[in-house]
Amino acid sequence: MSTVASAPGARRTGGASVLSPAILRPALVESVVKLDPRIQFRNPVMLVVELGAVVTTGIWLAQATGLSDGDQPAWFAATVAIWLWLTVVFGNLAEALAEGRGKAQADALRAMRTDTVARLADGGTRPASALRPGDRVVVDAGETIPGDGTVVEGIASVDESAITGESAPVIREAGGDRSAVTGGTRVLSDRIVVEITQEPGGSFLDRMIALVEGAARRRTPNEVALGILLAGLSLVFLVVVATLRPFVDFAGSGVSTVTLVALLVALIPTTIGALLSAIGIAGMDRLVRRNVLALSGRAVEASGDVDVLLLDKTGTITFGNRRATAFLPVAGVTERELAEAAMLASLADGTPEGRSVVDLARDGHGLDPSAAGAQRAGVEAIPFTAETRMSGVDLPGTGPDEPTRELRKGAGDAVVARVGDLGGTVPDELRRLLDGVAQEGGTPLAVADGARVLGVVHLKDVVKPGMRERFDRLRAMGIRTIMVTGDNRITAARIAEEAGVDDVLAEATPERKLELIREQQRGGRLVAMTGDGTNDAPALAQADVGVAMSSGTQAAREAGNMVDLDSDPTKLIEIVEVGKQLLITRGALTTFSIANDVAKYFAILPAIFATAWATRPGDDGPLASLNVMDLGTPSSAIVSAIVFNAIVIPLLVPIALRGVAYRPVGATALLRRNLLVYGLGGLIAPFIGIKLIDLVVHGVLGA
């Protein structure tokens, strides 16, 4: 399989400006290519505009060649035709620019793909492109992993920067939830055996390229529904304009076919029709630039409507491992003495918890392991084992009269048993300290120097900084958060209160997670969750938005409808914000499109009927009051409306691609802002724009 060479930051190229020549030039060409009616057929609104452009062009050509005199001068038909064509081109350009950013990302990935040679575990070699599911390959340090798969033997440090853009290596090992590897990433240390899981041409990288190019993007249900609405409006206005011909003939207003076509284009929602596809593509692109691969367009849209978030406690709300937070000495022992003993006893403890004890002693008390005698000759480190449940160190005395110190740190009952075996006495205070830490939801570790008890180290889950603020933001969005953990209820309740989540599911099993999601969905709520293990797969598949970690198991990645390439569980919050921004952008520009049609009515309708019932020559007629913008002539009014209708599309392209700024406020506040900014703005801007264009058309050209 073709894979991508390691290149930190490779996927950042998609952030290029849409005005850069590399994106703009191909988009201009593509906007002309998309004039093909077979392509426009997918967008009924713009198809109507293109048909109108064909009709007005035909009328102009007939006038220019003398086949027809027409009801209005040839320049009028030519001007309307040109701007109708530009309206379609501008709509195509919006879509092409959105696609262009994705293609820039895809080209960057494709340019770095190389066909590697895989070493099979049973001997021999095979090109990566010829690997099949079930093949086992050996990858040593410095070599590129030839295809997507699962580590079945060994443990190694892997550079995934070519995919995630992050330079920090990650650990991949057999038999756990961190066993999935991606083709194109590079092994930095050790040796692993990988079982290939990808089908030919179906690697993770291939899916990324297809996604960012837009080839795999399907229109979401909401987008389809809005498209049907726009098509229905276009059909209604087409019938209205077609039946208007007998009325204008009866009124004797002398309205031409070109004017009726201009009226039709002004009536239908061309602005949102032109930008709708670009908004959807840009939403997907924003997720990709956040290193999230959406395997379903519906999932992107659903993320904007999520009501409930299920978040795993460990690694999401809290740090991945419990950390030492306090030293609790017994009577007669100073806190510094306990900290020094616990630090030395933890030097041989390679677990994250053991390292956190050393960090707390160093940062909280300024202790240095080397200065405390850890480098002394004859020191024997006692590593932590599952059998002893303790770690420690034996420090020989500095003189013949100083005995060896046997420092131990570990589970309370294990240390108590050792102290008893050595003939020591366990004070009641130790038991009170052990029970107190446990009741607070923490993990107590006892520390002893030989037969003498020193005190307790308090380990606990530490909530990540800023989590309460994040959950406050989600609550402001109207989203309920539920923490999911396998901890007991006491521990879970304490963490939930500290983090600020709305609810908690303690002692969670795969079955309980699944039932919780189904219960929420039966209540009409949309549920999102994140996970990385095989036990998360059922819940990920059931959730409306299931975000699997790229570092997780193959089962989790296949069950979810999104994959987070950074394997950052808190990314779920960003995904929700991107989804809401997509929906808000679509709603805002739809509001603007419908609102700015009002000004076009006041431009074109007076031009058609203002003089229809004039009682004498030169009289403006009773409907002249409709000309609230005081436009120069019927011809300049129609041309001004059509010109504004065209140029507003490229002016709104940056908003469609960037998205409307989203703030976590309630639905009522969002609706109010939408109406004030885009509704009122869409109502006022065309009056100003059409009037300014009319001043140019009527004043300068004398039309």
Side-chain angles (χ1 to χ4, degrees):
M1 183 61 236
S2 294
T3 56
V4 61
S6 176
R11 300 187 60 252
R12 303 297 181 227
T13 55
S17 168
V18 295
L19 297 181
S20 64
I23 293 179
L24 187 57
R25 278 197 297 265
L28 289 171
V29 175
E30 190 68 17
S31 64
V32 176
V33 173
K34 288 177 178 287
L35 290 174
D36 186 337
R38 292 170 297 182
I39 298 177
Q40 291 300 319
F41 188 79
R42 296 176 304 177
N43 190 336
V45 176
M46 301 313 293
L47 178 62
V48 170
V49 179
E50 184 169 29
L51 292 176
V54 171
V55 171
T56 53
T57 301
I59 293 174
W60 169 64
L61 290 175
Q63 290 178 313
T65 57
L67 296 178
S68 172
D69 293 335
D71 299 322
Q72 290 176 302
W75 72 264
F76 177 74
T79 303
V80 172
I82 290 171
W83 282 99
L84 290 184
W85 282 115
L86 286 176
T87 301
V88 183
V89 170
F90 289 155
N92 293 341
L93 181 64
E95 183 178 54
L97 286 173
E99 294 172 344
R101 293 201 298 184
K103 289 179 180 178
Q105 289 179 315
D107 290 342
L109 290 171
R110 189 180 290 107
M112 290 181 288
R113 289 199 304 185
T114 58
D115 198 15
T116 61
V117 176
R119 292 187 293 117
L120 300 179
D122 56 1
T125 60
R126 184 179 300 170
S129 56
L131 292 174
R132 297 291 183 272
D135 289 342
R136 294 194 172 192
V137 298
V138 179
V139 189
D140 287 321
E143 295 180 346
T144 298
I145 297 173
D148 298 351
T150 301
V151 178
V152 294
E153 181 182 321
I155 179 173
S157 175
V158 179
D159 176 11
E160 295 188 341
S161 60
I163 301 299
T164 66
E166 301 295 333
S167 57
V170 295
I171 300 299
R172 296 289 176 260
E173 59 184 325
D177 287 345
R178 304 286 175 176
S179 59
V181 290
T182 303
T185 56
R186 187 163 57 92
V187 173
L188 299 178
S189 67
D190 302 295
R191 171 185 180 274
I192 54 175
V193 177
V194 177
E195 181 174 309
I196 300 299
T197 57
Q198 73 184 43
E199 296 289 342
S203 72
F204 202 62
L205 179 61
D206 289 323
R207 284 187 288 165
M208 286 173 58
I209 293 175
L211 174 71
V212 297
E213 282 188 315
R217 193 191 84 90
R218 296 183 180 181
R219 300 177 70 192
T220 63
N222 187 280
E223 193 175 347
V224 170
L226 185 55
I228 294 173
L229 174 63
L230 297 180
L233 288 175
S234 300
L235 180 61
V236 169
F237 287 126
L238 179 61
V239 173
V240 169
V241 172
T243 56
L244 194 61
R245 166 60 76 178
F247 291 97
V248 296
D249 289 343
F250 174 78
S253 61
V255 176
S256 66
T257 301
V258 174
T259 299
L260 290 177
V261 170
L263 175 63
L264 173 61
V265 172
L267 287 173
I268 63 178
T270 52
T271 304
I272 185 61
L275 297 174
L276 182 60
S277 180
I279 294 170
I281 295 173
M284 298 282 284
D285 178 63
R286 281 193 291 275
L287 270 185
V288 171
R289 284 187 284 125
R290 284 169 170 80
N291 280 358
V292 177
L293 179 63
L295 308 179
S296 163
R298 184 186 182 282
V300 182
E301 186 174 285
S303 65
D305 286 327
V306 163
D307 303 300
V308 178
L309 283 184
L310 268 62
L311 300 106
D312 186 48
K313 183 207 70 176
T314 305
T316 303
I317 297 174
T318 65
F319 289 100
N321 302 285
R322 296 192 169 197
R323 296 187 174 187
T325 58
F327 295 114
L328 308 175
V330 297
V333 178
T334 66
E335 186 175 340
R336 183 178 179 84
E337 182 182 359
L338 171 61
E340 181 180 12
M343 175 189 68
L344 292 171
S346 299
L347 293 178
D349 184 357
T351 65
E353 291 81 0
R355 291 194 295 270
S356 76
V357 173
V358 177
D359 292 340
L360 180 62
R362 183 184 61 246
D363 299 337
H365 296 274
L367 296 174
D368 181 2
S370 59
Q375 307 300 325
R376 190 182 308 163
V379 172
E380 181 182 359
I382 311 298
F384 175 86
T385 65
E387 181 180 356
T388 64
R389 295 186 297 152
M390 290 184 295
S391 65
V393 63
D394 290 345
L395 291 175
T398 56
D401 297 332
E402 184 178 344
T404 297
R405 296 180 66 191
E406 297 180 355
L407 302 175
R408 296 293 185 272
K409 177 219 71 187
D413 57 344
V415 173
V416 167
R418 175 178 168 79
V419 169
D421 292 341
L422 294 176
T425 301
V426 178
D428 293 337
E429 185 181 2
L430 176 67
R431 301 190 186 279
R432 288 197 300 271
L433 290 174
L434 292 173
D435 292 342
V437 171
Q439 289 173 2
E440 292 180 14
T443 300
L445 299 177
V447 181
D449 183 354
R452 179 189 176 209
V453 173
L454 300 179
V456 170
V457 179
H458 186 168
L459 293 180
K460 72 173 185 176
D461 283 310
V462 178
V463 175
K464 292 180 178 180
M467 290 309 299
R468 178 173 287 275
E469 290 74 14
R470 285 174 178 256
F471 292 132
D472 288 342
R473 285 166 53 199
L474 289 169
R475 198 171 294 109
M477 298 179 199
I479 297 174
R480 181 165 168 259
T481 54
I482 301 177
M483 184 182 79
V484 179
T485 176
D487 286 341
N488 61 67
R489 296 180 185 276
I490 296 176
T491 302
R494 185 187 63 80
I495 295 294
E497 181 180 1
E498 184 178 350
V501 295
D502 298 314
D503 203 351
V504 60
L505 176 65
E507 300 174 351
T509 63
E511 293 77 14
R512 293 194 66 192
K513 292 180 188 178
L514 190 60
E515 179 54 33
L516 175 61
I517 293 175
R518 287 174 175 168
E519 177 185 342
Q520 296 294 327
Q521 290 172 332
R522 284 194 294 268
R525 302 177 183 89
L526 265 67
V527 181
M529 80 158 289
T530 180
D532 60 1
T534 300
N535 65 336
D536 293 322
L540 286 170
Q542 180 67 37
D544 300 282
V545 180
V547 184
M549 302 296 101
S550 175
S551 61
T553 62
Q554 188 72 17
R557 296 207 297 183
E558 291 178 353
N561 47 29
M562 289 188 187
V563 177
D564 176 17
L565 303 178
D566 293 333
S567 297
D568 176 9
T570 61
K571 188 74 69 65
L572 194 57
I573 297 174
E574 292 184 48
I575 292 172
V576 170
E577 291 180 341
V578 169
K580 287 189 175 295
Q581 186 182 38
L582 169 64
L583 296 179
I584 290 171
T585 301
R586 189 181 292 160
L589 293 184
T590 300
T591 302
F592 184 91
S593 177
I594 294 175
N596 70 31
D597 284 343
V598 174
K600 301 171 195 172
Y601 304 157
F602 281 98
I604 295 183
L605 289 178
I608 297 176
F609 293 108
T611 59
W613 287 282
T615 56
R616 59 182 181 274
D619 185 11
D620 290 336
L623 299 181
S625 58
L626 291 176
N627 187 14
V628 295
M629 287 184 280
D630 193 27
L631 302 178
T633 65
S635 296
S636 69
I638 293 170
V639 169
S640 299
I642 293 302
V643 170
F644 178 85
N645 190 66
I647 64 175
V648 75
I649 294 173
L651 292 177
L652 292 175
V653 166
I655 296 178
L657 299 184
R658 185 179 61 251
V660 174
Y662 171 71
R663 294 193 301 271
V665 295
T668 302
L670 283 175
L671 178 61
R672 186 185 304 114
R673 188 188 70 169
N674 192 14
L675 292 176
L676 285 176
V677 176
Y678 293 94
L680 188 59
L683 189 64
I684 295 174
F687 279 93
I688 299 173
I690 292 174
K691 179 60 179 179
L692 292 175
I693 296 171
D694 179 75
L695 290 175
V696 174
V697 175
H698 180 62
V700 177
L701 302 180

PDB file of all heavy atoms in Angstrom, residues 541-558:
ATOM      1  N   ALA A 541     -20.725   2.662  18.251  1.00  0.00           N
ATOM      2  CA  ALA A 541     -21.595   2.370  17.110  1.00  0.00           C
ATOM      3  C   ALA A 541     -23.015   2.865  17.356  1.00  0.00           C
ATOM      4  O   ALA A 541     -23.699   3.292  16.425  1.00  0.00           O
ATOM      5  CB  ALA A 541     -21.602   0.863  16.837  1.00  0.00           C
ATOM      6  N   GLN A 542     -23.480   2.832  18.605  1.00  0.00           N
ATOM      7  CA  GLN A 542     -24.840   3.245  18.928  1.00  0.00           C
ATOM      8  C   GLN A 542     -24.979   4.761  18.967  1.00  0.00           C
ATOM      9  O   GLN A 542     -26.033   5.311  18.624  1.00  0.00           O
ATOM     10  CB  GLN A 542     -25.247   2.660  20.276  1.00  0.00           C
ATOM     11  CG  GLN A 542     -26.653   3.019  20.736  1.00  0.00           C
ATOM     12  CD  GLN A 542     -27.729   2.397  19.853  1.00  0.00           C
ATOM     13  OE1 GLN A 542     -27.575   1.273  19.380  1.00  0.00           O
ATOM     14  NE2 GLN A 542     -28.809   3.121  19.611  1.00  0.00           N
ATOM     15  N   ALA A 543     -23.936   5.476  19.371  1.00  0.00           N
ATOM     16  CA  ALA A 543     -24.003   6.928  19.523  1.00  0.00           C
ATOM     17  C   ALA A 543     -24.241   7.604  18.179  1.00  0.00           C
ATOM     18  O   ALA A 543     -23.822   7.113  17.127  1.00  0.00           O
ATOM     19  CB  ALA A 543     -22.720   7.451  20.162  1.00  0.00           C
ATOM     20  N   ASP A 544     -24.924   8.740  18.197  1.00  0.00           N
ATOM     21  CA  ASP A 544     -25.134   9.501  16.967  1.00  0.00           C
ATOM     22  C   ASP A 544     -23.817  10.065  16.450  1.00  0.00           C
ATOM     23  O   ASP A 544     -23.606  10.157  15.245  1.00  0.00           O
ATOM     24  CB  ASP A 544     -26.128  10.641  17.234  1.00  0.00           C
ATOM     25  CG  ASP A 544     -27.475  10.128  17.695  1.00  0.00           C
ATOM     26  OD1 ASP A 544     -28.247   9.664  16.841  1.00  0.00           O
ATOM     27  OD2 ASP A 544     -27.749  10.172  18.907  1.00  0.00           O
ATOM     28  N   VAL A 545     -22.947  10.457  17.363  1.00  0.00           N
ATOM     29  CA  VAL A 545     -21.597  10.899  17.010  1.00  0.00           C
ATOM     30  C   VAL A 545     -20.633  10.081  17.859  1.00  0.00           C
ATOM     31  O   VAL A 545     -20.522  10.292  19.065  1.00  0.00           O
ATOM     32  CB  VAL A 545     -21.397  12.407  17.282  1.00  0.00           C
ATOM     33  CG1 VAL A 545     -19.978  12.827  16.914  1.00  0.00           C
ATOM     34  CG2 VAL A 545     -22.409  13.230  16.507  1.00  0.00           C
ATOM     35  N   GLY A 546     -19.951   9.135  17.232  1.00  0.00           N
ATOM     36  CA  GLY A 546     -18.999   8.290  17.935  1.00  0.00           C
ATOM     37  C   GLY A 546     -17.594   8.631  17.482  1.00  0.00           C
ATOM     38  O   GLY A 546     -17.239   8.410  16.326  1.00  0.00           O
ATOM     39  N   VAL A 547     -16.795   9.187  18.383  1.00  0.00           N
ATOM     40  CA  VAL A 547     -15.439   9.622  18.049  1.00  0.00           C
ATOM     41  C   VAL A 547     -14.447   8.604  18.603  1.00  0.00           C
ATOM     42  O   VAL A 547     -14.280   8.489  19.819  1.00  0.00           O
ATOM     43  CB  VAL A 547     -15.137  11.024  18.615  1.00  0.00           C
ATOM     44  CG1 VAL A 547     -13.752  11.477  18.172  1.00  0.00           C
ATOM     45  CG2 VAL A 547     -16.195  12.017  18.167  1.00  0.00           C
ATOM     46  N   ALA A 548     -13.803   7.869  17.709  1.00  0.00           N
ATOM     47  CA  ALA A 548     -12.809   6.880  18.110  1.00  0.00           C
ATOM     48  C   ALA A 548     -11.421   7.499  18.048  1.00  0.00           C
ATOM     49  O   ALA A 548     -11.129   8.322  17.180  1.00  0.00           O
ATOM     50  CB  ALA A 548     -12.875   5.656  17.199  1.00  0.00           C
ATOM     51  N   MET A 549     -10.578   7.108  18.993  1.00  0.00           N
ATOM     52  CA  MET A 549      -9.203   7.595  18.995  1.00  0.00           C
ATOM     53  C   MET A 549      -8.388   6.833  17.952  1.00  0.00           C
ATOM     54  O   MET A 549      -8.496   5.622  17.832  1.00  0.00           O
ATOM     55  CB  MET A 549      -8.564   7.409  20.376  1.00  0.00           C
ATOM     56  CG  MET A 549      -9.291   8.105  21.529  1.00  0.00           C
ATOM     57  SD  MET A 549      -9.308   9.900  21.387  1.00  0.00           S
ATOM     58  CE  MET A 549     -10.976  10.175  20.754  1.00  0.00           C
ATOM     59  N   SER A 550      -7.548   7.562  17.216  1.00  0.00           N
ATOM     60  CA  SER A 550      -6.705   6.919  16.212  1.00  0.00           C
ATOM     61  C   SER A 550      -5.768   5.905  16.838  1.00  0.00           C
ATOM     62  O   SER A 550      -5.402   4.906  16.223  1.00  0.00           O
ATOM     63  CB  SER A 550      -5.890   7.979  15.460  1.00  0.00           C
ATOM     64  OG  SER A 550      -4.992   7.387  14.563  1.00  0.00           O
ATOM     65  N   SER A 551      -5.388   6.153  18.100  1.00  0.00           N
ATOM     66  CA  SER A 551      -4.473   5.257  18.795  1.00  0.00           C
ATOM     67  C   SER A 551      -5.176   4.037  19.367  1.00  0.00           C
ATOM     68  O   SER A 551      -4.526   3.148  19.904  1.00  0.00           O
ATOM     69  CB  SER A 551      -3.777   6.018  19.931  1.00  0.00           C
ATOM     70  OG  SER A 551      -4.742   6.490  20.863  1.00  0.00           O
ATOM     71  N   GLY A 552      -6.494   3.990  19.259  1.00  0.00           N
ATOM     72  CA  GLY A 552      -7.261   2.907  19.860  1.00  0.00           C
ATOM     73  C   GLY A 552      -7.260   1.645  19.022  1.00  0.00           C
ATOM     74  O   GLY A 552      -6.543   1.509  18.026  1.00  0.00           O
ATOM     75  N   THR A 553      -8.115   0.715  19.421  1.00  0.00           N
ATOM     76  CA  THR A 553      -8.176  -0.569  18.734  1.00  0.00           C
ATOM     77  C   THR A 553      -8.896  -0.441  17.396  1.00  0.00           C
ATOM     78  O   THR A 553      -9.643   0.507  17.152  1.00  0.00           O
ATOM     79  CB  THR A 553      -8.924  -1.592  19.603  1.00  0.00           C
ATOM     80  OG1 THR A 553     -10.267  -1.128  19.806  1.00  0.00           O
ATOM     81  CG2 THR A 553      -8.251  -1.769  20.945  1.00  0.00           C
ATOM     82  N   GLN A 554      -8.660  -1.420  16.536  1.00  0.00           N
ATOM     83  CA  GLN A 554      -9.311  -1.434  15.234  1.00  0.00           C
ATOM     84  C   GLN A 554     -10.823  -1.509  15.389  1.00  0.00           C
ATOM     85  O   GLN A 554     -11.570  -0.879  14.626  1.00  0.00           O
ATOM     86  CB  GLN A 554      -8.801  -2.633  14.419  1.00  0.00           C
ATOM     87  CG  GLN A 554      -9.251  -2.647  12.966  1.00  0.00           C
ATOM     88  CD  GLN A 554      -8.557  -1.588  12.142  1.00  0.00           C
ATOM     89  OE1 GLN A 554      -7.531  -1.053  12.559  1.00  0.00           O
ATOM     90  NE2 GLN A 554      -9.106  -1.269  10.986  1.00  0.00           N
ATOM     91  N   ALA A 555     -11.282  -2.244  16.390  1.00  0.00           N
ATOM     92  CA  ALA A 555     -12.729  -2.372  16.611  1.00  0.00           C
ATOM     93  C   ALA A 555     -13.348  -1.013  16.921  1.00  0.00           C
ATOM     94  O   ALA A 555     -14.429  -0.674  16.421  1.00  0.00           O
ATOM     95  CB  ALA A 555     -13.003  -3.348  17.751  1.00  0.00           C
ATOM     96  N   ALA A 556     -12.662  -0.200  17.739  1.00  0.00           N
ATOM     97  CA  ALA A 556     -13.182   1.124  18.078  1.00  0.00           C
ATOM     98  C   ALA A 556     -13.193   2.029  16.856  1.00  0.00           C
ATOM     99  O   ALA A 556     -14.151   2.772  16.626  1.00  0.00           O
ATOM    100  CB  ALA A 556     -12.342   1.739  19.195  1.00  0.00           C
ATOM    101  N   ARG A 557     -12.140   1.979  16.055  1.00  0.00           N
ATOM    102  CA  ARG A 557     -12.057   2.856  14.879  1.00  0.00           C
ATOM    103  C   ARG A 557     -13.128   2.502  13.852  1.00  0.00           C
ATOM    104  O   ARG A 557     -13.654   3.376  13.156  1.00  0.00           O
ATOM    105  CB  ARG A 557     -10.668   2.775  14.243  1.00  0.00           C
ATOM    106  CG  ARG A 557      -9.575   3.282  15.156  1.00  0.00           C
ATOM    107  CD  ARG A 557      -8.382   3.811  14.412  1.00  0.00           C
ATOM    108  NE  ARG A 557      -7.693   2.822  13.601  1.00  0.00           N
ATOM    109  CZ  ARG A 557      -6.582   3.074  12.924  1.00  0.00           C
ATOM    110  NH1 ARG A 557      -6.052   4.277  12.942  1.00  0.00           N
ATOM    111  NH2 ARG A 557      -6.001   2.130  12.216  1.00  0.00           N
ATOM    112  N   GLU A 558     -13.448   1.229  13.741  1.00  0.00           N
ATOM    113  CA  GLU A 558     -14.468   0.823  12.779  1.00  0.00           C
ATOM    114  C   GLU A 558     -15.871   1.117  13.295  1.00  0.00           C
ATOM    115  O   GLU A 558     -16.787   1.332  12.508  1.00  0.00           O
ATOM    116  CB  GLU A 558     -14.315  -0.665  12.465  1.00  0.00           C
ATOM    117  CG  GLU A 558     -13.059  -1.000  11.670  1.00  0.00           C
ATOM    118  CD  GLU A 558     -12.915  -2.484  11.414  1.00  0.00           C
ATOM    119  OE1 GLU A 558     -13.739  -3.257  11.971  1.00  0.00           O
ATOM    120  OE2 GLU A 558     -11.993  -2.885  10.687  1.00  0.00           O
TER     121      GLU A 558
END
